[in-house]
Amino acid sequence: AATGESYNVAARNLKAMKDMGATREAVLVQRWKPADSFDVPCPCGGTCEPGETCDHCHARHRHVKRYPGSTTEVETWADRYECTGCSSSYTLTIHLAGRPWGVAETVVRGGSAEEIVQATVFPGVIHPLLRSEAETSSDE
Ligand SMILES: [Zn+2]
Ligand SMILES: [Zn+2]
């Protein structure tokens, strides 16, 4: 069992190295500061929609945040929009092809041999429901 264990660790490290470029990309997709005004393009890369007009105060919503929007679909992100005039906000689920927030693998679990999709979050990406690889402890 010990040999199998070290093989898994080696394979995982190899995979992490291969994903370095993807990791950097994913962090860039998530980490940006909201635009100061509507005159400049959104710093998220222009992949968001123009913010809607608020029903309450008639100001416009601004794209303020992006985070992983699924626990298994690695190309699914959630965009949060906040009103510039009041506390109104909404979230849109988007699909960014080729810009995953992590790696999804199908693993077979336990004696029932049940296949489940398990996603690993790239280091540096903040997932609201999953922990990133860098923060995962070794007590699996
Ligand atoms: Zn945006
Ligand atoms: Zn408003």
Side-chain angles (χ1 to χ4, degrees):
T3 342
E5 189 82 11
S6 60
Y7 170 78
N8 280 338
V9 170
R12 181 179 280 206
N13 289 344
L14 199 74
K15 198 185 74 184
M17 275 162 60
K18 210 177 67 187
D19 289 339
M20 283 269 279
T23 298
R24 209 179 54 232
E25 282 283 306
V27 170
L28 287 176
V29 168
Q30 184 172 46
R31 287 197 189 163
W32 41 268
K33 287 244 186 329
D36 288 329
S37 84
F38 290 111
D39 298 335
V40 296
C42 181
C44 78
T47 45
C48 60
E49 298 189 1
E52 283 174 25
T53 304
C54 180
D55 286 339
H56 306 288
C57 71
H58 305 289
R60 270 178 66 192
H61 286 79
R62 181 176 57 160
H63 185 206
V64 293
K65 221 176 259 182
R66 173 172 288 154
Y67 50 88
S70 166
T71 53
T72 51
E73 302 287 326
V74 295
E75 290 180 338
T76 298
W77 295 80
D79 275 358
R80 181 176 166 88
Y81 294 76
E82 285 178 0
C83 179
T84 51
C86 72
S87 60
S88 165
S89 69
Y90 61 93
T91 302
L92 289 182
T93 300
I94 56 161
H95 184 254
L96 294 180
R99 295 191 185 186
W101 46 258
V103 184
E105 311 164 276
T106 305
V107 295
V108 178
R109 178 167 276 188
S112 57
E114 184 193 358
E115 282 194 5
I116 58 158
V117 176
Q118 191 174 307
T120 304
V121 186
F122 287 139
V125 173
I126 298 154
H127 195 297
L129 300 169
L130 300 174
R131 289 182 303 171
S132 85
E133 182 76 356
E135 296 165 46
T136 307
S137 57
S138 54
D139 55 36
E140 275 188 337

